[in-house]
Amino acid sequence: MQCRNRKRAWRGTALLGVALVAAGCGGAGKGEPLQVTVPPGASFGQIADSLAARDIIGNKLFFQVYGRVKGAAGSLKPGTYAFKQGIAWDSILADLEAGRVVTAKLVIPEAFDIFKIAPRIAGITRVSEDSVLSLMTDSAVTRRLGVPGPTLEGYLYPATYSFPVNVSVDSVLKTLVATYRREWTPARQARADSIGLSEREVVTLASILEREAKKLDEMPIMSAVYHNRLRIGMPLQADPTVQYALGKHRERLTYTAIDSVAGNPYNTYKVRGLPPGPIASPSARGIDAALRPDSADYLYFVARPDGSHVFTRSLAEHNREKLAIQRARGTTPQ
């Protein structure tokens, strides 16, 4: 009798072993990946329950035994994962141990302002756009993240990022600002000090250049124009700052539109000097152009139809070039 019981027990253990090995070495699964969230502090049993509830694994008891045999039960990371039904248990455990969570891509192009960035952050955080903007413009958040302000405008560095799904807005903002902070190196700070500009002023000028220049190689020459104007106390008359004050882009900026925001501190046609802060997110190239302007003594530029610019030294030259371009375009001078 005891012998028969031992044979049955051995047979059961052997069958369990075969089942576990088969499950562990299973295939790639079938169907679309299904998301499973592992909360912080979740037990291995709770994780197995979640996987079984979505039919990703067939037998949660066997899965738990397999995980403990493999030594993975105590080293699984929280997050949101995606697995196909019937996928090999080894693959599940490997992803859980490595923390290969589902990610969302966030792309911030150069010259994007917070009003364009906010919807993208809202999309990956599932937080309303207005709530994201509220955090971006909160002076307490700006101080906590250690940037010159007045808001986070200009300090959300343009790049391609990868975040876990359901990431918090605060985590996203911290990452974007940290990337900017890595770009604002001691060498760039030293250069800013040497030309008498603060960090905020450099980033503000860089953001204007980023919005103004369609041809990137013109950035240092444009920078020279703005530096020359700042030096002699001449208004910058930078169209992108007026567009920022208006709150929306206009293909053709008229004097009427400029006058409509006459009291706005970002209207550099009416207010001398740099505006209170950046108007967009500049790249390292824009920052370097602001820090190292060309040596040219130009004071004016006007855009050609192809996006390049004609640079001139006097108002008379500027007006001649402007009129010639307007005639070539077939537009009526303002």
Side-chain angles (χ1 to χ4, degrees), residues 227-250:
H227 275 276
N228 292 338
R229 287 188 168 212
L230 288 170
R231 188 178 64 255
I232 64 175
M234 183 178 177
L236 295 184
Q237 297 182 324
D239 288 1
T241 66
V242 180
Q243 301 277 15
Y244 193 78
L246 289 167
K248 59 182 179 180
H249 181 76
R250 300 191 183 188

Side-chain angles (χ1 to χ4, degrees), residues 39-241:
S43 68
F44 192 45
Q46 290 171 323
I47 296 172
D49 286 341
S50 298
L51 293 168
R54 307 224 67 182
D55 290 329
I56 293 167
I57 59 173
N59 189 306
K60 62 183 180 183
L61 178 61
F62 282 8
F63 179 76
Q64 290 180 73
V65 173
Y66 187 78
R68 291 189 172 93
V69 169
K70 299 286 285 187
S75 58
L76 308 182
K77 295 179 174 60
T80 300
Y81 297 83
F83 303 110
K84 292 183 178 181
Q85 292 178 335
I87 189 172
W89 292 356
D90 278 343
S91 295
I92 296 173
L93 294 173
D95 283 357
L96 291 170
E97 284 187 289
R100 286 192 278 269
V101 297
V102 180
T103 59
K105 186 166 73 170
L106 175 65
V107 179
I108 308 295
E110 293 89 348
F112 258 40
D113 59 33
I114 57 174
F115 304 102
K116 291 181 179 178
I117 295 172
R120 299 195 174 199
I121 294 179
I124 68 168
T125 58
R126 301 182 184 178
V127 174
S128 73
E129 185 179 331
D130 286 344
S131 296
V132 175
L133 272 171
S134 179
L135 287 171
M136 288 177 168
T137 54
D138 187 332
S139 59
V141 174
T142 302
R143 287 194 300 272
R144 176 165 57 83
L145 294 182
V147 291
T151 68
L152 293 185
E153 183 75 273
Y155 308 102
L156 303 172
Y157 195 76
T160 298
Y161 300 87
S162 181
F163 291 101
V165 295
N166 302 325
V167 65
S168 69
V169 177
D170 192 58
S171 292
V172 173
L173 296 179
K174 282 180 179 176
T175 299
L176 270 58
V177 170
T179 306
Y180 159 76
R181 272 278 160 238
R182 287 194 293 273
E183 293 296 332
W184 185 257
T185 60
R188 288 187 171 116
Q189 179 64 64
R191 174 62 183 173
D193 294 340
S194 73
I195 60 174
L197 292 180
S198 68
E199 179 183 353
R200 183 197 290 193
E201 289 171 329
V202 171
V203 178
T204 299
L205 179 53
S207 71
I208 296 172
L209 295 172
E210 202 79 60
R211 290 288 297 270
E212 187 82 80
K214 300 299 184 288
K215 306 288 185 181
L216 297 182
D217 60 355
E218 289 186 346
M219 272 190 186
I221 308 176
M222 280 186 176
S223 181
V225 171
Y226 289 132
H227 275 276
N228 292 338
R229 287 188 168 212
L230 288 170
R231 188 178 64 255
I232 64 175
M234 183 178 177
L236 295 184
Q237 297 182 324
D239 288 1
T241 66

